[in-house]
Amino acid sequence: MLDDFMVRAALAGVGVAIAAAPLGCFVVWRRMAYMGEATAHASVLGVALSLAFSLPLLPAILASALTMGLAVTLLRGKGFAMDTLLGVIAHTALAAGLVTVALLSDVRLDLNAFLFGDILAVTKGDLATIWIGGALILTVMTLRWSALLVATLNPDLAYASGIDPKREELWLTLAMALAVAVAIKVVGILLIAALLVIPAAGARSLVKTPESMAAFAAVIGSLAALGGLGGAYLADTPAGPSIVCAAAIIFLLTALFGPFIRKD
Amino acid sequence: MPGMYWNTGVTTPLITLKDLTIRVDGRTILENVNASVSEAEIVTIVGPNGSGKSTLLRAMIGAIPPAEGTVHRAPNLRIGYVPQKLALDAALPMTVQRFLGLPRRVPAQEAVQALELAGVPDLRNRQMTKLSGGQFQRVLLARALLEKPQVLLLDEATQGLDQPGAAAFYQRIEQVRRDIGCAVVMVSHDLHVVMAASDRVLCLNGHICCEGSPRTVADAPEYRALFGSGTKGTMALYQHQHSHSHDHDHSHDEAH
């Protein structure tokens, strides 16, 4: 079954969608979509460095994403406005990565595959990476769920309950770096943040509790992955962007009709 | 003041602040504060805007590290904290029941009990964002009670409530204290309603100006100097609940 590239693509898409769902909810609740962008952009530098120094690709991406996440987390609230800070470091990382790749004249690299994903070329090894990485993300999110919720509601409430909100934030940063590493192959660097934000935003109109929002985000993300793949197959469009478009369509539908379904 | 509890050997303070100095961005907010909270007592912290009241409370829960001095909490101290305000993002769906179960889930029955204790028994299935200001504060109180607190910390918990609402809220606090026997530390600039129920009042203005029983503090020259003559009738007003004119300022936000 895994020998069919469409089956592998579908499994990869659904795996990423499920792993991204609870994390995406926190991205929406904590208004950190920018952070997803920055972490993803930094991974270009990771790709470049891995090529330049013949390092294994996945750890390099993970390390660069994690470094960016930590830098952003630590620098937040230290003088510069967040969007300014990200405008500087995220795009610097992206640009430096692209420059580094260009300097490596002996390497023929299909940068498009990293920027926009290459879900149809997912190998069995990629699939293992995605599902193991996804399981790690889900484990972190499940274990830290309640503490993260309290810290998100109000840091002082967290302190009063013996929870250190800064430590919880680091768990989120770690999960984010993992998500970038596993999602690159599926939607690419430029659209990872979309895969985090759109399903969660689409779930918001349908639900009453944080947990159901995460569950619905997983469903919406999976439907988007399958729908996008199907659409890409039929219309011969790029798969990653097609998945994001499918998610956007679902978001539009739930935003329009969700309030009539849900009763507070 | 170790001698005080050394002799009795029973009432170790729940929270002890020793020579506490707090600086935020290089600015000294609190200086050399010594205070303690013992079991089952009601302590009220009063002071003008910007006097460091909220900061003192946040230092007690460990949200702000001391620049100097120490904050000591009894081991495994259970704290119920009601913040001054809590801005709930509309993006975060949250029923009252789920909110009460953070960070530890509680069965529906316990949630209802806590809501009853807080005076809002019927809100369990409502969305937090759909509550009125008064309901929201009481749900915050209910959540704090579910921590089975040894000490309840209230930071201007009646902000946004009208005067009868605030009076009712404080009566509810007294009731709760009787029921579960926790200590209560309240911050307020709402001088009408807080003082008479207190065992002790700390008058704060960057440092502790004066402290003692409500009567002692109200008569202290330091307190008079801070609050002027308009608050002479503070305690009488608490008991009689009629309005009067006063010259201290209610309108500012106290958050640091």
Side-chain angles (χ1 to χ4, degrees):
Chain A
M1 188 179 81
L2 291 180
D3 292 332
D4 184 335
F5 75 97
M6 278 305 274
V7 172
R8 289 200 301 273
L11 284 173
V14 170
V16 168
I18 293 173
L23 181 60
C25 288
F26 276 103
V27 169
V28 168
W29 296 332
R30 300 174 69 104
R31 305 175 174 218
M32 47 192 278
Y34 59 81
M35 173 100 166
E37 296 279 3
T39 312
H41 284 180
S43 60
V44 176
L45 192 57
V47 171
L49 291 177
S50 115
L51 290 171
F53 300 105
S54 310
L55 301 168
L57 186 61
L58 198 67
I61 289 173
L62 201 56
S64 59
L66 200 55
T67 307
M68 173 61 82
L70 289 175
V72 170
T73 307
L74 295 176
L75 286 171
R76 189 159 60 189
K78 295 260 163 72
F80 284 108
M82 201 62 236
D83 57 342
T84 308
L85 201 61
L86 286 162
V88 176
I89 55 181
H91 295 111
T92 304
L94 178 61
L98 295 175
V99 168
T100 310
V101 171
L103 286 176
L104 302 170
S105 50
D106 54 333
V107 179
R108 292 282 299 150
L109 173 71
D110 180 13
L111 209 52
N112 273 336
F114 288 105
L115 293 179
F116 299 105
D118 198 3
I119 192 173
L120 298 180
V122 162
T123 64
K124 285 180 192 168
D126 292 334
L127 212 48
T129 306
I130 287 169
W131 280 84
I132 291 169
L136 272 175
I137 295 170
L138 285 184
T139 307
V140 168
M141 296 309 292
T142 309
L143 292 177
R144 306 317 307 166
W145 185 258
S146 281
L148 267 168
L149 268 177
V150 180
T152 300
L153 277 172
N154 182 297
D156 287 348
L157 278 188
Y159 280 117
S161 299
I163 296 162
D164 182 351
K166 293 194 183 110
R167 197 186 57 207
E168 300 309 324
E169 205 164 299
L170 290 179
W171 282 112
L172 218 48
T173 306
L174 176 68
M176 181 78 88
L178 276 169
V180 167
V182 301
I184 277 191
K185 192 84 183 180
V186 173
V187 284
I189 286 159
L190 294 181
L191 291 175
I192 286 173
L195 209 59
L196 287 168
V197 171
I198 300 177
R204 173 61 188 101
S205 326
L206 303 174
V207 299
K208 295 178 186 174
T209 63
E211 289 75 20
S212 48
M213 182 155 153
F216 272 87
V219 172
I220 291 175
S222 302
L223 287 176
L226 297 175
L229 273 176
Y233 182 75
L234 293 174
D236 194 23
T237 50
S242 303
I243 290 174
V244 174
C245 286
I249 291 168
I250 300 177
F251 166 76
L252 217 62
L253 291 175
T254 63
L256 285 174
F257 301 111
F260 301 105
I261 302 167
R262 180 192 58 180
K263 291 193 177 63
D264 287 336
Chain B
M1 311 175 288
M4 279 184 65
Y5 49 90
W6 231 240
N7 294 337
T8 62
V10 226
T11 52
T12 311
L14 301 172
I15 302 175
T16 312
L17 311 177
K18 199 159 178 295
D19 302 323
L20 179 70
T21 295
I22 298 235
R23 293 194 191 92
V24 177
D25 297 330
R27 205 160 52 95
T28 303
I29 309 284
L30 289 173
E31 196 158 24
N32 242 342
V33 172
N34 286 288
S36 66
V37 180
S38 302
E39 277 173 40
E41 67 170 345
I42 297 189
V43 180
T44 300
I45 302 169
V46 297
N49 289 323
S51 60
K53 305 187 295 289
S54 295
T55 307
L56 185 65
L57 224 56
R58 296 183 63 223
M60 285 183 177
I61 61 174
I64 311 179
E68 286 162 38
T70 54
V71 176
H72 183 260
R73 286 179 291 277
N76 301 317
L77 182 66
R78 294 186 306 277
I79 297 174
Y81 175 66
V82 179
Q84 188 175 127
K85 59 176 177 240
L86 198 156
L88 203 67
D89 198 310
L92 178 52
M94 186 69 75
T95 58
V96 170
Q97 164 77 38
R98 186 68 192 94
F99 178 75
L100 293 176
L102 285 171
R104 282 164 287 280
R105 281 182 187 272
V106 292
Q109 197 192 347
E110 263 183 60
V112 169
Q113 274 172 8
L115 288 170
E116 273 169 9
L117 207 54
V120 280
D122 304 320
L123 298 179
R124 204 172 68 81
N125 294 313
R126 297 274 293 278
Q127 280 286 310
M128 290 293 289
T129 44
K130 300 270 166 78
L131 302 180
S132 73
Q135 288 171 332
F136 200 100
Q137 283 303 330
R138 282 156 186 262
V139 170
L140 283 176
L141 176 62
R143 180 189 168 277
L145 295 176
L146 280 165
E147 304 257 3
K148 298 191 173 54
Q150 293 159 285
V151 55
L152 197 55
L153 302 176
L154 308 168
D155 190 356
E156 307 237 11
T158 55
Q159 213 176 36
L161 302 188
D162 56 14
Q163 202 172 316
F169 188 85
Y170 284 122
Q171 273 159 15
R172 185 59 68 176
I173 298 293
E174 284 184 65
Q175 175 84 45
V176 162
R177 204 267 302 241
R178 278 200 298 277
D179 289 350
I180 69 175
C182 59
V184 178
V185 180
M186 304 191 273
V187 157
S188 183
H189 61 229
D190 208 358
L191 295 167
H192 304 57
V193 279
V194 293
M195 290 187 63
S198 310
D199 298 311
R200 248 169 357 112
V201 176
L202 301 182
C203 180
L204 199 69
N205 191 20
H207 59 280
I208 293 182
C209 305
C210 54
E211 66 172 298
S213 71
R215 186 60 68 186
T216 319
V217 168
D219 289 339
E222 295 89 345
Y223 177 84
R224 293 284 171 100
L226 274 178
F227 290 103
S229 55
T231 53
K232 267 180 193 159
T234 294
M235 279 167 293
L237 275 159
Y238 177 75
Q239 278 135 6
H240 301 306
Q241 298 297 325
H242 60 74
S243 64
H244 78 145
S245 66
H246 48 85
D247 59 7
H248 60 271
D249 192 352
H250 272 281
S251 61
H252 290 291
D253 190 348
E254 204 68 22
H256 299 299

